[in-house]
Amino acid sequence: MDAFFASVTIRDRPELRGRPVLVGGGLRGVVLSATYEARRRGVRSAMPMSRARRLCPDAVVLPAAFDEVEATSAAVMEILRQVTPVVEVVSVDEAFLDVAGALRRFGSTTAVAEHVRARVHDEQRITCSVGIGPTRSVAKLAGRRAKPDGVVRVPPEAVVDFLHPLDVGELWGVGERTRDRLRRLGLRTVADLAHTPLPELRRALGPRAGAHLHALAWGTDSARVGEGPVAGRPAGRSIGAEETFGHDTDDHEVVGRELLRLSATVARRARAAGLAARCVSLKVRYADFTTLTRSRTLADPTDVTATVHATAVALYAALGARRTRVRLVGVRLEGLRPRREVHEQLVLGAREHGWTDADRAADRAVSRFGRDAVGPASLLGTRRP
DNA sequence: TCTGGGGTCCTAGGACCC
DNA sequence: TCTGGGGTCCTAGGACCC
């Protein structure tokens, strides 16, 4: 999808068409998505909103329409599944399709692309771009090249010519750090990478990453659609929530309350998904942006808000006092497994009804009457930071 | 008023077990 | 005066993606 959050957010506001629009924000937020008018002025997603506004003072800034984005995403993915069942959803606005089985019906890969683009445009009133290639990685880069509102096809015999002039940083999986490291090795283009002996790459980047990048540089990555490092596994290896405070704080009560709010959020999501977590992980970012994580594995998997919170608080307390203030806290559940596979440890003398029942009752109330229907008393009257 | 929030995967050291 | 090899789990951090 092209500038997905921005496109959806302004879809029903024709007066904004052709104007630079930034979606995202909050007091200390970043740009979630920007229209191409804003991008032409140098705005990029993930850029601090303050900087984006400086680059583009006349931009309209809007909060993201998350519900509508979600619904649009689902509708688009459904269009894709009608082309082929082999769909690998990468994110809310991106997917891979293996269209080998659809060629007889459509005639060509390009015809598939135009079919999808036409349907998305007609039914959702937004544009998308399609990259076609023999591997996921090549298709991914072709898709980037196709933006906005276009199609780029890289046939197998053209892959090497397509890849090799690119900057190494354009490869999917090479971020800023790896790009810097490659630069220091004197490797700037994908061709440089491709012509570096494999053992040398493995030494420099580790055996796995080295081999992976070498394959990407020759377009020979063999993962099939649906078998990528992300997809192909049961979704949901972790559930997390984090929040940057409006102002850095050293008030333990404020931090503790926020940990409760986050714990309640992730535990509720786990319960809704029928999952329990072996491990609770705490993330803390200080005012100077140093970030650390602490985690604890529990004796028994849990989906209980109070247990998650108690663990998060214990991890936080174990950090001790710091000189700097806290900018962000986060809570994440890991080691998830289906709750029905977890047999409850019976404790002699335990109450017959405990937090598990309270959580479930609260979940039912929330699902009937809304998020504010019931919750921890200590969160009453507090606004999200 | 620099730097969000949701994730996945990899690495590396230490503990522990056989 | 000597300490292997293989494996798993736990913890912490880092890189990357959208």
Side-chain angles (χ1 to χ4, degrees):
Chain A
M1 310 305 299
D2 302 326
F4 189 46
F5 280 69
S7 304
V8 170
T9 302
I10 66 171
R11 176 164 60 184
D12 292 316
R13 304 183 58 173
E15 74 277 12
L16 294 178
R17 208 145 298 156
R19 292 200 55 185
V21 176
L22 311 176
V23 169
L27 218 54
R28 312 167 87 172
V30 299
V31 176
L32 248 173
S33 179
T35 59
Y36 282 87
E37 288 77 11
R39 293 181 194 208
R40 275 198 285 279
R41 314 267 286 273
V43 174
R44 294 286 173 268
S45 16
M47 177 182 279
M49 192 56 98
S50 50
R51 209 180 133 209
R53 283 182 202 256
R54 275 200 301 276
L55 283 171
C56 206
D58 55 327
V60 178
V61 181
L62 297 172
F66 284 106
D67 290 347
E68 219 177 314
V69 163
E70 201 61 52
T72 308
S73 171
V76 169
M77 297 306 172
E78 184 48 37
I79 292 174
L80 302 183
R81 287 196 188 90
Q82 288 173 16
V83 171
T84 167
V86 194
V87 176
E88 177 181 336
V89 177
V90 178
S91 70
V92 72
D93 74 336
E94 191 168 350
F96 289 114
L97 280 69
D98 183 336
V99 296
L103 290 185
R104 219 151 54 119
R105 183 151 62 99
F106 288 93
S108 69
T109 52
T110 317
V112 174
E114 290 304 355
H115 166 84
V116 165
R117 282 166 31 74
R119 277 198 69 185
V120 168
H121 184 263
D122 293 350
E123 296 172 23
Q124 298 300 324
R125 292 175 292 124
I126 53 177
T127 68
C128 64
S129 302
V130 177
I132 303 168
T135 68
R136 298 154 77 248
S137 161
V138 172
K140 165 84 191 168
L141 298 186
R144 210 182 275 162
R145 183 67 53 91
K147 280 176 177 298
D149 198 14
V151 178
V152 167
R153 184 173 88 95
V154 181
E157 66 275 11
V159 163
V160 169
D161 285 343
F162 171 73
L163 289 177
H164 281 198
L166 300 178
D167 187 284
V168 285
E170 293 203 48
L171 288 178
W172 195 35
V174 177
E176 213 182 316
R177 298 309 177 99
T178 307
R179 182 169 182 250
D180 288 348
R181 280 176 77 175
L182 293 171
R183 283 243 158 139
R184 267 179 265 123
L185 294 169
L187 309 177
R188 302 181 84 87
T189 66
V190 175
D192 295 339
L193 191 59
H195 291 113
T196 303
L198 188 50
E200 200 173 310
L201 279 183
R202 298 187 123 156
R203 253 199 319 279
L205 303 167
R208 230 182 148 108
H212 181 60
L213 285 192
H214 195 76
L216 288 188
W218 285 103
T220 55
D221 176 39
S222 60
R224 302 174 66 99
V225 171
E227 291 178 349
V230 176
R233 274 155 236 260
R237 303 177 75 72
S238 71
I239 295 173
E242 59 187 60
E243 176 97 6
T244 298
F245 293 110
H247 302 281
D248 301 341
T249 180
D250 50 10
D251 185 334
H252 287 274
E253 243 176 77
V254 170
V255 173
R257 228 182 287 128
E258 184 58 18
L259 288 177
L260 176 56
R261 201 178 65 78
L262 296 169
S263 299
T265 299
V266 296
R268 179 170 35 74
R269 286 176 54 201
R271 293 192 296 270
L275 297 169
R278 265 307 298 290
C279 177
V280 176
S281 152
L282 169 80
K283 173 173 171 180
V284 179
R285 174 169 291 154
Y286 293 100
D288 64 0
F289 229 70
T290 55
T291 307
L292 44 80
T293 60
R294 291 290 182 270
S295 61
R296 176 168 301 171
T297 298
L298 308 168
D300 300 295
T302 190
D303 63 0
V304 175
T305 293
T307 305
V308 175
H309 179 230
T311 309
V313 166
L315 289 167
Y316 182 76
L319 292 175
R322 302 272 163 154
R323 282 191 301 275
T324 44
R325 291 210 260 239
V326 175
R327 177 188 179 90
L328 165 152
V329 286
V331 177
R332 178 168 296 277
L333 302 179
E334 296 167 2
L336 300 175
R337 59 205 59 199
R339 184 167 196 287
R340 56 186 152 70
E341 289 174 15
V342 177
H343 56 89
E344 230 156 304
Q345 187 67 47
L346 296 175
V347 179
L348 206 60
R351 297 177 187 198
E352 190 183 347
H353 296 288
W355 283 116
T356 296
D357 304 274
D359 281 342
R360 277 177 179 55
D363 290 346
R364 283 196 296 276
V366 166
S367 74
R368 277 187 66 181
F369 302 111
R371 184 131 335 154
D372 295 329
V374 60
S378 51
L379 297 184
L380 280 175
T382 62
R383 297 233 65 94
R384 295 176 53 176

